[in-house]
Amino acid sequence: MSPQLTLQAPVALPPPELTDYLDKLWSHDLESSSGASTFTLLVWQPAWVEQHLVRTGRLDGPVTGVVRSELLEAAREAVPACDLPLSISPLSPKLAWALGQQIGNHPIEDLRGQHIDSAISAFQPRRLITLAPTLNHGQPLETLVAAYCPLPGEGTAAACGDVVVLRGDFGALQQGLQLLQPLVPADLPCWVWWNGSLDEAPELLEALAEPGRRLVIDTAMGTPRRCLDLLESRVASGGPVNDLNWLRQRAWRESLAMVFDPPSRRDALNHVVQLDIDVEGTHPVQGLLLAAWMADRLGWHWVESHAAPGDEIRAEFERTDGVTVQFHLTPVPVGVPSSHPGSVVGLRLICKPPGRQALCVILCSESGGCMRLEAGGMARMELAEEVVPMGHATDEWEMARLLGGGHDSTNPLLATAAPLAAKLLPNA
Amino acid sequence: MTVTLTNPLRVGLRQERVVSPQCLVIFGASGDLTHRKLVPALFELFRQRRLPTEFAVLGCARRPWSDEDFRGHMAEALGDLVHEHRGAWDQFAAGLFYEPVDLQQPEHLVRLAQRLEVIDRQRATRSNRTFYLSVSPKFYGSGCSALAAAGLLSDPERSRVVIEKPFGRDYGSAQELNRIVQASAKESQVFRIDHYLGKETVQNILVLRFANTIFEPIWNRNYIASVEITAAETVGVEERAGYYESSGALRDMVQNHLTQMLALTTMEAPGRFDPEAIRNEKAKVLQSARLADELEPWNCCVRGQYSPGGSAERPLAGYRQEPGVNPNSTTETYVAMKLFIDNWRWQGVPFYLRTGKRLPKRMSEVVLTFREAPVHLFDAAGGSPTANQLILRIQPDEGAGFRFEVKSPGSGMRSRPVDMHFSYDESFGEPSDEGYVRLLADAMLGDPTLFTRGDEVEAAWRMYTPLLELIEDSPWQLPVHPYEARTWGPAASDSMLGRDGLMWRRP
């Protein structure tokens, strides 16, 4: 399904009139409709790559903030043009920065916040607030408002919502923060989706992600240390946090669990001696989260980590029976990287049960082969090899799953994996 | 006893939807179903973190219990489970409440509404309510009307009603009950429960058919010769004589459970996995189904009743000797029948349904027998090649099997049948949730996919109307054949298939 636009063209209002306008809208114009008793979704939507691609004429507008195939294609083409390594992901902040150095002055039609992915609109947010920072320094704060109701026949009752867009340069948006508090209905859950790099605007992120709000971040976007520290601190503070990078790794967790579903294989999990994970490019967070999840589930104790040549990460765990488990995380260059940096592309687990044939489990991504992991004496082991399907879910779809799931706390698996992943990342 | 290690990598992987804040109101809270099935299922959901903190259960029945009495009775009924998970139980039990209510007394409903408002404030359940009618079927209609009259079903977004089986006694009474229920609430608020649909293996029929491309091209009259659906029980009538005497196997098992398995096995592929799309297809296929001989139903149906049997060490009483059963009872404890489905996919394919009590094995299965190869090129070990069979095992030993011919080892080219098995236990090794866990969660989530819609129920009853009328008006034309307990039913049932050149599968 394609994204939907709000039916009503948004009204541009002077910022001080925003709250009054919304009150009037609900008490008069939409009086006959029951407002959706659902949730507020607050989105930080910089869409830097998209804005720069449109500005430099590499992509036709408008800018929507929704990742679409044309955007990914244009971004992939821009990677070599910006003299970046081919393994840079098309949504990487590095590409946004490089594009920012290029000249171009094409006009940008900005529809961020008004272009709602149908997966999200299906859950009828009561209020969708978008913070849309612009490239133009000095652009003052603009506020746009639109109401929307489901199309006839979409639902049994007219449960309407509204859309609020705050647009301007970074300074203007910071000023706009004071407008936000009264805009978030106190009696409904509020989700905050930080749909940008975690390196940028930390104080704004702090301000948006109040403790009771359900924060959604993407630890593939930002420097690995910042991403893992933020995740860990949010978990430690007890504030609900979800990570799209963690969700995108779902197929790897599921595939690995599937290998050990047959009861005859389960004992091998007590005898793991080596774990190898390959990731695309040099962003290790997804691979570390996967290793941390396994270590937590299997009761391994972290001993030490260190950086190795070629951006490798090596670590040691100790099993509950005192035996050492070696862990290697290896960045591998790829020709056509996934849309997000650091996707896992391979996993190898070697189990050596005493007195029995060793078991080697190899999982590899649909996008690549397993040859690297198949090397090294695997022929003498029982081999369990699976291909992990590539995730085709967009971030909007993942968001929709979160919204539909209704969970008001951090996934317990993520909560235990996050601090361990932070330990696994060697300090620079 | 073999102990299966749990798969530590599987723990917590499923992120199930969490029920929205609400109060579940159980009418018939002092009854058997509540403490045997409903509260254990709710506690399981709680332990799986699928119930929010803003959740409450309000038990209602005529007994003058207090909240504490209700909690105590439930804890007692759950026994070891409570002891094993004491901390979790204490948290869960804090959300259990009780209100003495007689659904026939309007003033009780007023009091109930007031109590619900108090619970809304105490537990932040936001006026969302699911009403579960676990009461005698004769109160389903009046119960819904009473709830509607008290204004408790007026908000279709915030209130739902779950109705246990049996939904009606025949086509006419089901229509009448639907009329009353639908006058009280919108169809989207009504959840008619059939716990068979909560079984993983029943749901797996849909996945097997519609997630695999290999089956769909052959899932039709061109390749399938016949279909058998069996639900066999080893138990007798036990303590349900009062109910069973007035229902019998046809109403107790066939109209609901077996018919649901029939619908899932024969429905067309829905356009999308959407509750209404699925229920539309189920309703459509049931509307096309009919008894093989509607004018003379005795030709396509056999009724039976178990007589004494068992062994010298462990004799088993016959049905008429069971406590609470009329010694001259003509209630059937076994029924077998032949159906046809008049549509493009299934025209001419016979469907054989059977169910019975005190049969040799407890098992439910769907068996699809394929047509024979058009030319027999090889000698078969058994004289002629065995037809391919796909066996969907619903319970126990949940899984599926496929029987096909292979070359028998040795010189020559003789064929013999072999079986290929898929077992849930071997592949997953984890027990699946009890059906009520899934169904209760779905009802509270407002997902009606696994619940029967009004037109489905009516179509199911209509299919069996000629039989029910015959049993009512001229029972001698459909006699109850005795069969010895722990045998596979009366010989007349075998003869019914024998006339078509077939035999029941002996699992």
Side-chain angles (χ1 to χ4, degrees), chain A residues 37 156-157 253-254 256-258 260-263 266-267 269 293 297-298 404-407 409-413, chain B residues 4-13 15-18 49 53-54 126 157-158 188 425-430:
Chain A
S37 178
T156 49
R253 292 191 297 269
E254 181 62 40
L256 192 59
M258 222 151 57
F260 293 96
D261 273 336
R266 293 197 190 157
D267 179 55
L269 281 174
W293 163 72
R297 295 311 315 149
L298 299 177
H407 297 270
S409 57
T410 305
N411 178 320
L413 297 180
Chain B
T4 305
L5 300 168
T6 55
N7 178 357
L9 301 180
R10 178 60 63 197
V11 177
L13 273 197
Q15 269 277 299
E16 304 281 11
R17 286 178 297 169
V18 173
R49 298 160 51 97
T53 44
E54 305 92 349
R126 302 187 197 167
E157 300 297 316
R158 292 177 186 273
S188 60
D425 265 359
E426 281 173 27
S427 297
F428 304 122
E430 305 278 342

Side-chain angles (χ1 to χ4, degrees), chain A residues 116-259:
Chain A
I116 308 161
D117 192 276
S118 55
I120 291 176
S121 68
F123 289 102
Q124 301 183 344
R126 168 60 176 266
R127 181 157 290 160
L128 183 59
I129 305 171
T130 303
L131 298 174
T134 57
L135 295 175
N136 299 335
H137 292 292
Q139 183 166 329
L141 184 66
E142 284 178 90
T143 51
L144 304 162
V145 183
Y148 78 90
C149 294
L151 293 169
E154 269 188 353
T156 49
C160 299
D162 55 45
V163 164
V164 177
V165 182
L166 305 184
R167 191 162 62 198
D169 77 351
F170 182 69
L173 288 179
Q174 272 203 314
Q175 283 173 11
L177 272 183
Q178 57 187 337
L179 292 174
L180 275 180
Q181 198 57 36
L183 291 180
V184 179
D187 56 340
L188 295 178
C190 178
W191 295 80
V192 176
W193 180 14
W194 189 264
N195 191 12
S197 166
L198 295 173
D199 294 335
E200 65 192 13
E203 61 289 350
L204 190 64
L205 170 56
E206 191 76 16
L208 293 180
E210 287 181 4
R213 293 181 182 166
R214 304 169 187 188
L215 176 64
V216 182
I217 58 174
D218 188 343
T219 55
M221 308 299 274
T223 49
R225 176 49 69 198
R226 160 73 179 154
C227 291
L228 285 173
D229 285 351
L230 177 70
L231 188 61
E232 186 187 13
S233 66
R234 182 76 180 182
V235 167
S237 71
V241 60
N242 292 277
D243 177 13
L244 297 179
N245 202 23
W246 165 265
L247 297 177
R248 283 194 293 270
Q249 193 200 74
R250 184 187 301 117
W252 290 87
R253 292 191 297 269
E254 181 62 40
S255 297
L256 192 59
M258 222 151 57
V259 171

Side-chain angles (χ1 to χ4, degrees), chain A residues 54-70:
Chain A
V54 173
R55 179 186 62 79
T56 55
R58 295 176 184 277
L59 176 69
D60 291 333
V63 171
T64 63
V66 176
V67 176
R68 56 195 198 279
S69 53
E70 296 86 350

Side-chain angles (χ1 to χ4, degrees), chain B residues 423-462:
Chain B
S423 152
Y424 267 81
D425 265 359
E426 281 173 27
S427 297
F428 304 122
E430 305 278 342
S432 49
D433 284 338
E434 153 74 25
Y436 275 97
V437 174
R438 170 71 192 261
L439 294 175
L440 264 175
D442 281 3
M444 292 188 289
L445 283 160
D447 180 347
T449 311
L450 300 178
F451 296 84
T452 41
R453 207 170 56 189
D455 53 349
E456 264 184 80
V457 178
E458 287 182 19
W461 279 119
R462 188 165 43 205

Side-chain angles (χ1 to χ4, degrees), chain B residues 126-140:
Chain B
R126 302 187 197 167
S127 308
N128 294 321
R129 283 124 195 202
T130 298
F131 298 98
Y132 198 112
L133 294 181
S134 173
V135 294
S136 164
K138 65 185 175 201
F139 295 125
Y140 290 163

Side-chain angles (χ1 to χ4, degrees), chain B residues 191-465:
Chain B
F191 292 73
R192 296 170 192 81
I193 210 162
D194 182 331
H195 69 261
Y196 247 59
L197 289 176
K199 291 182 186 295
E200 291 279 2
T201 39
V202 173
Q203 294 159 30
N204 186 46
I205 296 175
L206 283 181
V207 177
L208 185 98
R209 289 191 57 197
F210 302 132
N212 297 295
T213 51
I214 58 164
F215 296 118
E216 184 52 25
I218 54 171
W219 207 271
N220 56 48
R221 63 192 301 272
N222 297 325
Y223 291 91
I224 292 178
S226 65
V227 179
E228 277 177 35
I229 300 178
T230 299
E233 298 177 281
T234 51
V235 294
V237 71
E238 298 185 305
E239 288 88 37
R240 298 167 68 220
Y243 160 75
Y244 204 82
E245 272 285 88
S246 64
S247 72
L250 181 55
R251 288 189 172 93
D252 187 47
M253 294 291 289
V254 178
Q255 182 275 336
N256 36 60
H257 306 328
L258 270 74
T259 304
Q260 285 299 322
M261 287 199 276
L262 174 74
L264 293 173
T265 306
T266 57
M267 65 188 261
E268 296 296 317
R272 55 190 185 280
F273 191 69
D274 166 272
E276 290 321 302
I278 289 170
R279 300 198 303 175
N280 285 344
E281 297 304 339
K282 280 167 62 191
K284 270 162 58 182
V285 80
L286 292 181
Q287 284 157 3
S288 310
R290 62 170 174 85
L291 293 172
D293 189 343
E294 288 188 310
L295 297 177
E296 297 179 340
W298 52 87
N299 289 329
C300 65
C301 178
V302 171
R303 294 202 300 152
Q305 189 183 72
Y306 63 85
S307 53
S311 57
E313 298 79 38
R314 195 164 173 268
L316 296 166
Y319 179 69
R320 292 179 184 180
Q321 288 80 48
E322 299 274 20
V325 172
N326 178 349
N328 298 312
S329 173
T330 55
T331 300
E332 79 280 354
T333 61
Y334 176 98
V335 65
M337 65 185 67
K338 177 179 170 184
L339 305 173
F340 282 122
I341 295 176
D342 292 330
N343 65 16
W344 278 58
R345 185 186 287 268
W346 296 115
Q347 188 65 40
V349 178
F351 289 83
Y352 302 99
L353 274 55
R354 67 172 164 168
T355 183
K357 288 191 176 294
R358 283 273 187 251
L359 300 185
K361 252 183 156 176
R362 172 181 168 265
M363 50 78 75
S364 297
E365 65 177 22
V366 179
V367 181
L368 298 106
T369 303
F370 291 84
R371 294 192 183 281
E372 287 184 13
V375 179
H376 296 168
L377 295 176
F378 312 107
D379 286 340
S384 61
T386 309
N388 298 149
Q389 283 189 321
L390 180 64
I391 298 138
L392 311 177
R393 296 190 303 275
I394 307 299
Q395 65 179 20
D397 186 22
E398 291 84 350
F402 187 57
R403 168 164 281 212
F404 56 100
E405 291 280 304
V406 297
K407 180 183 174 299
S408 206
S411 60
M413 290 295 276
R414 283 166 69 84
S415 73
R416 53 155 289 187
V418 290
D419 294 314
M420 196 158 72
H421 285 293
F422 151 66
S423 152
Y424 267 81
D425 265 359
E426 281 173 27
S427 297
F428 304 122
E430 305 278 342
S432 49
D433 284 338
E434 153 74 25
Y436 275 97
V437 174
R438 170 71 192 261
L439 294 175
L440 264 175
D442 281 3
M444 292 188 289
L445 283 160
D447 180 347
T449 311
L450 300 178
F451 296 84
T452 41
R453 207 170 56 189
D455 53 349
E456 264 184 80
V457 178
E458 287 182 19
W461 279 119
R462 188 165 43 205
M463 199 188 333
Y464 304 111
T465 295

